[in-house]
Every structure is written in structure tokens, then in C-alpha cells.
Amino acid sequence: MRQVIIIGSGPAGYTAAIYAARANLEPLVIASSVEVGGELMNTTEVENFPGFPEAIMGPDLMTRMQEQAERFGAEVLYQDVVSLDLDGDVKSVTLGNGEVHQAYSVIYATGSAYRKLGVPGEERLSGRGVSWCATCDGFFFRERTIAVVGGGDSAMEEATFLTKFASKVYIIHRKDTLRASKIMQERAFANEKIEFIWNSEVADILGDEAVTGVVLRSTTDGTTRELPLDGLFVAIGNDPRTHLVHDKLELTAEGTIWVDGRTSRTSVPGVFAAGDVIDPTYRQAVTAAASGTVAALDVEHYLAGRGEAALPESDVAQIDGLPDAATVGA
Ligand code: NDP
């Protein structure tokens, strides 16, 4: 029996693991079989994580977080969770390999999944020119003409990165203004290989074996035209990954897991949530990490309250001295 099982291995999951491990809770981290490290594994340079003035590559940052958690005793399993039983005092987590792990508390930090366009050709040509990951697939588009869909930071970052390989990168955006931060916008505007196609959406993705182009539809007058392309990168945001808990935990209108105020407490006692899966707004590596901290502190409080936590006296005293969880800031 564990004190806490953490599901997810992004900044929220690993930061929760660091705090829980340092509190002697010996957390088990279910890191997933293919998406270990979460979204930052698909990112290039992270320039806004405090402490790295020269930037750090996303995968390096996640490897360091994992090492830090393991150094204090977190155990990491490269498995997927297939089902959860969250009722009652003891929670059960069933993995893809059939193992069942039990704990008195669970931190759910599964992040979010890439949003899809939902247009014809997208599924069929996925991996054949349609991609959600520039760092994974950019290399295949050397001297090719490609497009990125989206107007946020992800689209700007992907498009800028892809100019290292492609000869031409279009950014297709449905409006005439960007949602991306000023610095990312300016970087894209200044890049000679990038051309913006405003007020347009992808209506169809063309190609039999591989992408040959897209049909663009004007969002102002509805007219369509074809744009020849060798590849299409979709960067239109993410949706919280709640499929394992949508019928077990209360969700918000935005589809994120409901938590009680500034705490990580979900609608089920002993179940806590952190990171992008509770956050429809900020969704930064730093805010996810902070959210993981809140979850670990809430778990300590919860376990101490139910008298099960095998904590040294000094830690218990510290927990007792915590302000009410609702006032613990991120
Ligand atoms: P965002 O939600 O910020 O942006 C999504 C973009 O895609 C918007 O421009 C939106 O258009 C567009 N879009 C959404 N759905 C569709 C659709 N069906 N068809 C066409 N376009 C669509 O997502 P991001 O992934 O860009 O960013 C998520 C978060 O991660 C943000 O907080 C961002 O700041 C952060 N981030 C930070 C980075 C950094 O600082 N280095 C790098 C990457 C992400 P519209 O504008 O019309 O709504």
C-alpha cells in the first residue's frame, strides 16, 4: 500500500513527486509508456523557466525534474493507467500491464492532449505529412513547403523552429490578429521564411499517400482555394486529458477537473489534481510545477489528517502549522 500515487510526468507530476518524496511519502509516479515527461518533451528551448537564463531544452528540463524526484525516493513506472477506482479510503490504479497499485491518495496530473482540426484527411494523413510535433517531425521536411495552423505561442514556436528545415513556412490563422505573446509574434514576423495567411481555416487536407496540399476557406467571405504543401503542423491548443475520470470527478464548464478554490482538492476525498488538467488559462511549465507543489502539500495535509502518513515528527509539526489549504498559494 502506497501513501500516494501520482499519475502524470509533466512539470506538475514531477514537482508533486519531488515534494511528496521529500516528505517521506515514497510516491509512485505513473509516467505513461510513450509520453513520459509530458508536453515539454516535444518542445525545443524553454526560455521562461526561472533559473535557466540561457534557456534549457524541454527534454533536458524534464529529465532533470525526474532525476530530482528519484533522488528523494520517488519510483517511476513507464506504464499507462487504464482504469481507476477512486471510491473509498483506498484508491486502486490499474495499469496497462495488468498491475494494480493501491494508495490512500492520488494526484491526477495528466496534462492535456493536442487538439485536432476535425477536417477530412486529418486522420488518414496523420504521420504522412500531418503532425502535431515540430521537434519530432521537422527534420523530415528539409527544403519543403509546409504550414502551421494556429495563432498562439505554440504555432509561433513551431513555425520558427521549422524554418531550420523547411524552405517556406506558412502560418494559417483564422483571425487577423494573433493570440501569441509579443516576443513570439515578433520573432515570427521577422523570419523571412514565414508567411502569414490571415482569416483562413483549413477545410480539407489533400493527398493519397502523403500530404500534397490543403483547401483553405476564408473566414470572412467563405471562398475556398487550394494551397500546395508537403506538410501540415497543427498547433491549435490542447484539451485537458480527463477521459479516465470524467465520470468519477466533477469537471468545470471548460472541461478541466474541478478543484476547491486554490487547492488541488477534487470532488472526491483523497483525490487531488494539478497542472494543465485543472488549468484552462495559464498552462505554463512554471504554473504547472507550482500546482504540483500545492497538490503534494494538500496530500501531506490529507494523510496527516487521516493518521496514515508515515511522517517524521518534525514534518507532521510542519504540516500542522500550515495555513488552511485554501490560503496556500502557488
Ligand atoms: P492557445 O490556446 O494559446 O492558442 C490556440 C490557437 O489556435 C489560437 O490562435 C486559436 O485561434 C487557434 N485555434 C483553436 N482551435 C482552432 C481550430 N479548430 N481551427 C483553427 N485554429 C484554431 O494554444 P497554444 O498551444 O498556442 O498555447 C497554450 C498555452 O501554452 C498558452 O498559455 C501559451 O502561452 C503556452 N505556451 C507557451 C510557450 C512559451 O512561452 N514558450 C510555447 C507554447 C505554448 P483563436 O486565436 O482564434 O482563438
Side-chain angles (χ1 to χ4, degrees):
M1 176 71 68
R2 297 271 177 171
Q3 297 296 323
V4 58
I5 294 176
I6 297 166
I7 303 171
S9 56
Y14 278 142
T15 306
I18 292 165
Y19 273 75
R22 293 191 77 248
N24 288 344
L25 296 177
E26 298 176 347
L28 177 65
V29 180
I30 314 297
S32 144
S33 59
V34 287
E35 295 182 80
V36 186
E39 223 177 293
L40 283 182
M41 298 301 279
N42 299 327
T43 316
T44 51
E45 290 187 339
V46 180
E47 294 177 328
N48 51 11
F49 202 90
F52 298 96
E54 260 93 53
I56 179 168
M57 297 301 279
D60 291 345
L61 180 60
M62 295 321 300
T63 304
R64 286 181 185 222
M65 284 192 200
Q66 178 174 349
E67 284 171 2
Q68 197 171 349
E70 286 175 329
R71 179 182 154 213
F72 295 110
E75 186 185 344
V76 179
L77 291 184
Y78 302 106
Q79 290 288 329
D80 298 309
V81 175
V82 292
S83 67
L84 291 165
D85 184 354
L86 302 175
D87 294 335
D89 195 35
V90 174
K91 321 295 179 192
S92 296
V93 178
T94 304
L95 305 185
N97 64 359
E99 284 177 16
V100 179
H101 294 267
Q102 293 191 309
Y104 295 116
S105 65
V106 165
I107 295 176
Y108 198 78
T110 49
S112 53
Y114 296 127
R115 199 171 285 157
K116 295 191 171 170
L117 288 168
V119 299
E122 186 177 27
E123 292 293 337
R124 183 169 47 84
L125 294 165
S126 165
R128 296 163 181 255
V130 178
S131 172
W132 284 262
C133 178
T135 48
C136 316
D137 299 329
F139 186 76
F140 301 115
F141 294 93
R142 270 173 300 171
E143 299 307 318
R144 302 290 176 88
T145 299
I146 57 180
V148 176
V149 189
D153 281 335
S154 297
M156 299 309 113
E157 186 174 83
E158 303 250 308
T160 305
F161 174 74
L162 287 165
T163 59
K164 289 183 182 178
F165 308 100
S167 51
K168 173 97 189 169
V169 179
Y170 294 102
I171 295 179
I172 301 166
H173 184 39
R174 61 187 180 183
K175 292 187 183 142
D176 61 0
T177 52
L178 297 170
R179 181 190 289 253
S181 58
K182 213 68 192 158
I183 186 169
M184 306 285 266
Q185 291 193 25
E186 280 166 6
R187 217 171 272 172
F189 287 142
N191 194 313
E192 288 179 352
K193 285 189 181 177
I194 294 178
E195 182 178 329
F196 283 82
I197 300 178
W198 301 105
N199 296 316
S200 298
E201 59 191 10
V202 174
D204 197 353
I205 305 174
L206 307 172
D208 294 327
E209 294 301 310
V211 170
T212 56
V214 294
V215 175
L216 293 178
R217 182 168 47 224
S218 163
T219 53
T220 49
D221 60 18
T223 55
T224 58
R225 70 175 171 108
E226 276 187 31
L227 176 71
L229 290 174
D230 300 304
L232 185 73
F233 287 79
V234 182
I236 59 170
N238 302 270
D239 292 313
R241 270 203 199 93
T242 54
H243 61 286
L244 288 169
V245 294
H246 69 270
D247 56 348
K248 298 174 169 44
L249 302 178
E250 204 173 304
L251 303 182
T252 66
E254 284 128 335
T256 52
I257 294 174
W258 176 86
V259 289
D260 188 5
R262 296 182 67 199
T263 78
S264 63
R265 293 193 298 258
T266 70
S267 52
V268 174
V271 181
F272 303 81
D276 279 10
V277 81
I278 65 165
D279 179 5
T281 313
Y282 300 107
R283 310 233 315 262
Q284 304 294 303
V286 184
T287 51
S291 169
T293 305
V294 171
L297 294 175
D298 286 347
V299 161
E300 279 188 73
H301 211 171
Y302 172 79
L303 292 172
R306 67 180 295 291
E308 288 288 352
L311 294 172
E313 293 244 311
S314 58
D315 282 5
V316 176
Q318 217 182 325
I319 290 164
D320 286 344
L322 274 177
D324 177 70
T327 64
V328 177

